[in-house]
């Protein structure tokens, strides 16, 4: 089970290859300042019920099965880190040239991230519903 303290330790990142039983693949990473440094292992995770909704956070039980390292997920995580770093460098360059241009660029990046997060979760729900309808 991954544990971290002040952003250092291990944690799960990513979710891909969703199955009809709501299971998915995630990868355990060594993290430093919440940045994934090195992948340790991949797991197929299946929600096992026992969900608790507390005031500040949600808690849920999972069943976890170790699988071979998911190279696509590792590659996507490293590409995401590289994209964020390059975007921050470009934002710094734009801020030194023109502060308003940097704000526009930052707003554009933020809107892409919000759209991606919202769209992907919505899209996954529709796919699950369609698959369950097709099975009946």
């Amino acid at each position: 089970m991954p544990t971290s303290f002040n952003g250092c330790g291990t944690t799960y990142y990513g979710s891909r290859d969703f199955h009809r039983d709501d299971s998915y693949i995630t990868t355990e990473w060594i993290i430093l300042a919440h940045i994934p440094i090195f992948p340790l292992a991949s797991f197929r995770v299946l929600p096992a019920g026992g969900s608790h909704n507390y005031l500040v956070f949600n808690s849920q039980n999972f069943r976890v099965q170790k699988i071979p390292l998911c190279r696509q997920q590792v590659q996507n995580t490293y590409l995401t880190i590289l994209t964020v770093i390059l975007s921050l460098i470009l934002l710094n360059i734009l801020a030194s040239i023109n502060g308003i241009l940097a704000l526009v660029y930052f707003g554009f990046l933020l809107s892409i991230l919000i759209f991606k997060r919202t769209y992907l979760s919505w899209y996954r729900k529709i796919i699950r519903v369609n698959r369950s309808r097709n099975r009946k």
Side-chain angles (χ1 to χ4, degrees):
M1 200 71 198
T3 57
S4 64
F5 179 73
N6 288 338
C8 299
T10 60
T11 192
Y12 292 131
Y13 273 119
S15 54
R16 70 177 312 119
D17 193 23
F18 291 88
H19 283 186
R20 290 183 184 100
D21 61 355
D22 289 334
S23 69
Y24 58 91
I25 293 176
T26 189
T27 302
E28 185 177 6
W29 289 81
I30 294 175
I31 58 170
L32 183 62
H34 297 284
I35 298 172
I37 305 297
F38 185 75
L40 296 175
S42 290
F43 298 91
R44 174 147 302 274
V45 177
L46 176 67
S51 178
H52 303 288
N53 190 0
Y54 297 102
L55 184 61
V56 180
F57 67 94
N58 292 330
S59 175
Q60 186 173 3
N61 296 326
F62 295 95
R63 284 187 294 190
V64 180
Q65 177 185 7
K66 191 171 184 178
I67 60 171
L69 191 63
C70 182
R71 299 206 185 273
Q72 287 178 324
Q73 193 168 50
V74 171
Q75 178 184 358
N76 287 349
T77 303
Y78 281 137
L79 284 175
T80 301
I81 294 168
L82 181 63
T83 303
V84 169
I85 290 171
L86 291 177
S87 294
L88 290 174
I89 290 171
L90 182 59
L91 182 63
N92 191 18
I93 292 169
L94 289 175
S96 66
I97 295 171
N98 184 348
I100 294 176
L101 188 61
L103 286 175
V104 169
Y105 178 72
F106 181 72
F108 177 71
L109 284 179
L110 191 60
S111 64
I112 288 174
L113 290 174
I114 291 170
F115 176 77
K116 179 183 173 188
R117 182 155 183 96
T118 305
Y119 174 73
L120 285 180
S121 63
W122 171 78
Y123 179 73
R124 287 178 186 149
K125 287 178 186 176
I126 288 178
I127 293 297
R128 282 187 211 144
V129 168
N130 287 339
R131 284 182 181 167
S132 65
R133 287 181 185 166
N134 290 339
R135 289 189 143 242
K136 291 180 181 180

